[in-house]
Amino acid sequence: MNKDPKMNGKMPPPPNGKPPMPGTPGGKPGDKKEMTADELRAIMKKNGTQQRGPGGPMIREKPKDAKGTLLKLIKYIGRSKYLVLAVVGTTILSTFLNLLGPNLQGRAIDAITVTAGKPSVDFDELIRVLMLMLLVYLGSAAIQMIQGIASAKITQTTVYTMRSDLFRKISFLPIRYTDTHAHGDIMSRMTNDVDNISMTLSSSISSLISAVLTLIGAFSMLIFYDWRMAIISLVTIPLTIIVSTNLSKFMRKYFVEKQVLLGQLNAQVEEMVTGYKTVMAYGKEPDACEEFARVSEEFRKCSIRANVWGGLMGPANNIINNLNYLIVAATGAYFTATGAISVGDIQAILQYSRQLSMPINQIANQYASILTAIAGAERVFTILDTPDELDEGKSDMKVEDIRGDIEFTGINFSYNPGKQVLHDFNLKVKQGQKIALVGATGSGKTTVVNLLTRFYDVDSGEIRIDGVNINDIPKKTLRSAIAIVLQDTVLFHDTIGANIRYGKLDATDEEIRKAAATSESDEFIERLPDGYETILAEGGSNLSQGQRQLLSISRAVLADPKILILDEATSSVDTRTEMHIQQAMVALMKNRTSLIIAHRLSTIRDADIIIVMKDGTVMEAGNHDELLAQKGVYYGLYQNQFAGIET
């Protein structure tokens, strides 16, 4: 997100002038519409949600471009090519040693023979084979440890690189992108989707290679011992695939429904905690408890069904595997009785038949995990493939060169096609002038600011600063010359001093104190136990709204801008504090071009020019006395506000 220090880390409001709605249902507890299980399933089917249920399969979200996404993901993994080669090499060695185990077990058994009813043991052969088995198992364990370390490094390096690239991309995305995409969804891609990729990489790379090699190797060894036994070992494989596939499809709906209900529970708890005062104020505690109990009961029933059906996968596969073992053992016993194969051989064949069925289930599970990871990676790459914010500014203008003359000429603009916000907007501001923009919500006041700072570009017309089209001024230069104080402040979980310093990162402690004094915030800061070293809670929640606003103004003071924009900067403070701020603002705005957006008309009485806007056009322009004398739109707004009627 293109956070400019002068913006206090705050994004401009969305086109409709309303803040983005949270991802949780709105309204009072008890007002939510009940959702049936079929509706839940339909929603999840539409959204392609994926989850893993206890004992059940991974619920898959199929990617749209699996091949393209997989190639991009492989490029990320390929940055650790030597580690990848190490994993492949150790996996091959580990698989070979695991395949060697049953052969050695068969040879150990064949070292013990029975002749004329008397056992005979070839101790030299037995000891030699047992020593080989010990070396094989120790070597396999050591190789798997090396493989695990290499695999972990690949996973974490890939995830680290991907998260770094994603964070950088988000930092330079156009404002339009963040305005038109849910912030929670963007955060989910950074966390949940990347975590999905991480978990799949950590478990799938070596497991998938090992499963394929084991499958090939086990079948080859079965053919080596007896081709008839190899074919018999394959008899139950189709049954395993059919049962696993159908059970996965059947269980999917229950795990999907369970996750939706869990989401509803989490949303309701979050709603209750964040809106606790409202719930209590309206006496809605019983309704909230009743609603929670209803969803919780649905979740309990659904969880039972999901876990019961999810628990069938293991027993079903065990039955099939045991059936396979029985068939192979019975057939092997017959061949042993006829002298076709030895007892040691049948022992090895039984082990290889086990190894043959196990990778098939493993590959099926890994396939589901890989699909999920690719779907998550696709969401991540969707952001990574989004072009950065364009900056075609070629002018060599420096911040110190900017005086502050602003001119809007014939501006037409719309956030969405067909819904024009500004219509032939014209405005000329001279250096050092104080211009106020007033009008009803949605009249286009904040849009003027968005266009001046180039968070959005005009559809037609020109905006010039000191005679230079702002499209020719590098955005960094343009925004560094502008400081904006917004109605809704953004404070970080850091000290008060660090939050003020956000306006000028190289500011000294003395400069911070002077800025705080100018904004009248030094008084309440010095009353705090730790003063400027006081740690703010998330969002500055341990301060009042007015105190947070004062800190925001301190940032703007510290930034010492050429152009100052105040967007309802005093709307959250009391009248007495507002008077102090107005006195500070007089000094701050001296010799600076200032644009003030305000609903409190008392704060703009001394503006050089007041622009009255309605439906994206300029209805009236003049100073306070001139507009009152006209008895037009401004006069009506002033009379309504003077009478205490909200406008």
Side-chain angles (χ1 to χ4, degrees), residues 402-641:
I402 295 177
R403 300 188 306 275
D405 292 329
I406 305 172
E407 184 175 0
F408 293 79
T409 306
I411 301 299
N412 291 288
F413 175 76
S414 57
Y415 290 103
N416 299 304
K419 296 182 179 179
Q420 195 163 336
V421 178
L422 293 182
H423 305 264
D424 193 28
F425 179 81
N426 296 278
L427 176 64
K428 189 176 288 188
V429 184
K430 295 181 180 179
Q431 177 187 358
Q433 276 191 324
K434 182 163 61 173
I435 307 297
L437 301 175
V438 300
T441 300
S443 58
K445 304 184 299 296
T446 300
T447 299
V448 172
V449 173
N450 288 343
L451 296 178
L452 178 61
T453 52
R454 286 204 66 197
F455 291 140
Y456 290 86
D457 288 325
V458 300
D459 296 338
S460 63
E462 281 188 346
I463 303 175
R464 295 179 175 273
I465 292 181
D466 299 338
V468 179
N469 192 316
I470 63 171
N471 290 341
D472 298 329
I473 303 174
K475 287 183 178 178
K476 185 176 181 180
T477 301
L478 174 67
R479 293 169 184 170
S480 295
I482 301 173
I484 303 179
V485 180
L486 297 166
Q487 178 179 4
D488 298 321
T489 60
V490 173
L491 298 176
F492 303 100
H493 180 54
D494 205 335
T495 64
I496 286 180
N499 271 277
I500 296 176
R501 186 177 276 113
Y502 201 71
K504 182 183 178 184
L505 298 180
D506 59 349
T508 64
D509 291 343
E510 182 61 28
E511 288 175 321
I512 290 174
R513 292 178 183 276
K514 285 183 179 179
T518 302
S519 67
E520 304 284 341
S521 59
D522 59 333
E523 293 183 10
F524 85 82
I525 294 175
E526 291 171 357
R527 289 198 302 267
L528 296 172
D530 297 321
Y532 289 85
E533 297 303 314
T534 301
I535 300 292
L536 297 182
E538 183 179 357
S541 58
N542 52 340
L543 298 178
S544 70
Q545 179 63 34
Q547 290 171 334
R548 294 198 293 269
Q549 190 66 277
L550 289 173
L551 292 184
S552 178
I553 294 172
S554 297
R555 285 178 181 168
V557 172
L558 184 64
D560 191 23
K562 301 289 184 176
I563 299 171
L564 180 67
I565 297 174
L566 304 175
D567 191 348
E568 298 290 347
T570 61
S571 63
S572 301
V573 297
D574 57 78
T575 305
R576 179 178 177 276
T577 304
E578 182 183 338
M579 291 174 61
H580 289 297
I581 293 176
Q582 287 299 319
Q583 293 172 3
M585 290 297 101
V586 170
L588 178 62
M589 289 186 287
K590 187 176 182 181
N591 298 324
R592 284 190 179 88
T593 304
S594 303
L595 294 179
I596 306 170
I597 297 174
H599 282 112
R600 286 188 189 178
L601 301 185
S602 59
T603 63
I604 58 168
R605 294 179 61 141
D606 60 341
D608 296 315
I609 301 175
I610 299 174
I611 305 296
V612 183
M613 298 185 64
K614 183 178 180 181
D615 297 329
T617 59
V618 176
M619 300 296 293
E620 297 174 353
N623 61 36
H624 176 73
D625 293 332
E626 291 172 348
L627 293 178
L628 285 181
Q630 292 179 20
K631 293 191 176 183
V633 177
Y634 182 82
Y635 178 82
L637 292 172
Y638 188 80
Q639 291 298 318
N640 286 340
Q641 200 165 108

Side-chain angles (χ1 to χ4, degrees), residues 28-91:
K28 304 188 295 293
D31 286 349
K32 297 188 189 107
K33 177 185 176 183
E34 295 190 7
M35 194 174 293
T36 66
D38 289 338
E39 289 173 329
L40 292 175
R41 295 182 193 121
I43 290 173
M44 297 305 289
K45 182 177 180 181
K46 178 181 178 182
N47 294 338
T49 303
Q50 88 278 348
Q51 288 293 340
R52 183 190 297 276
M58 176 68 75
I59 305 305
R60 294 174 296 195
E61 178 187 352
K62 292 187 178 180
K64 298 176 183 177
D65 181 18
K67 182 179 178 181
T69 303
L70 186 59
L71 289 175
K72 293 176 184 176
L73 190 55
I74 288 173
K75 287 182 180 178
Y76 268 92
I77 299 172
R79 298 183 185 183
S80 307
K81 57 184 177 181
Y82 295 113
L83 289 172
V84 172
L85 290 175
V87 168
V88 172
T90 53
T91 302

Side-chain angles (χ1 to χ4, degrees), residues 121-294:
V121 180
D122 185 349
F123 284 102
D124 291 339
E125 174 68 11
L126 182 61
I127 291 172
R128 184 167 56 252
V129 172
L130 290 177
M131 291 301 294
L132 279 174
M133 288 176 65
L134 178 63
L135 290 174
V136 165
Y137 292 138
L138 287 176
S140 178
I143 289 171
Q144 285 179 7
M145 183 179 71
I146 296 171
Q147 173 189 305
I149 294 172
S151 181
K153 286 186 176 181
I154 290 174
T155 300
Q156 294 309 315
T157 300
T158 301
V159 169
Y160 167 79
T161 306
M162 186 173 288
R163 273 209 173 105
S164 298
D165 290 350
L166 185 57
F167 190 85
R168 182 215 162 271
K169 172 59 69 173
I170 291 173
S171 300
F172 290 94
L173 283 174
I175 294 296
R176 184 182 292 274
Y177 187 95
T178 58
D179 276 353
T180 54
H181 290 76
H183 296 176
D185 180 64
I186 295 175
M187 292 175 62
S188 177
R189 300 185 194 209
M190 171 70 78
T191 54
N192 297 339
D193 289 326
V194 175
D195 281 342
N196 266 340
I197 297 169
S198 174
M199 288 187 293
T200 301
L201 288 179
S202 63
S203 63
S204 295
I205 294 178
S206 58
S207 297
L208 193 59
I209 297 172
S210 177
V212 172
L213 292 176
T214 299
L215 189 64
I216 297 171
F219 187 67
S220 300
M221 291 302 293
L222 284 170
I223 293 176
F224 171 76
Y225 277 99
D226 192 296
W227 65 270
R228 295 167 297 180
M229 295 302 298
I231 294 174
I232 291 169
S233 298
L234 296 175
V235 169
T236 59
I237 298 301
L239 183 60
T240 300
I241 296 173
I242 291 170
V243 169
S244 297
T245 303
N246 284 283
L247 272 178
S248 297
K249 289 180 180 178
F250 189 77
M251 290 183 296
R252 175 187 173 89
K253 58 183 179 182
Y254 293 113
F255 286 113
V256 169
E257 183 180 342
K258 177 183 173 183
Q259 291 306 131
V260 174
L261 290 170
L262 180 60
Q264 285 191 355
L265 279 179
N266 292 336
Q268 193 168 19
V269 171
E270 181 184 359
E271 230 178 30
M272 182 68 178
V273 172
T274 56
Y276 186 63
K277 290 182 180 179
T278 302
V279 173
M280 292 188 68
Y282 286 92
K284 289 292 183 179
E285 299 94 332
D287 292 341
C289 292
E290 182 181 344
E291 174 68 7
F292 181 83
R294 182 190 68 79

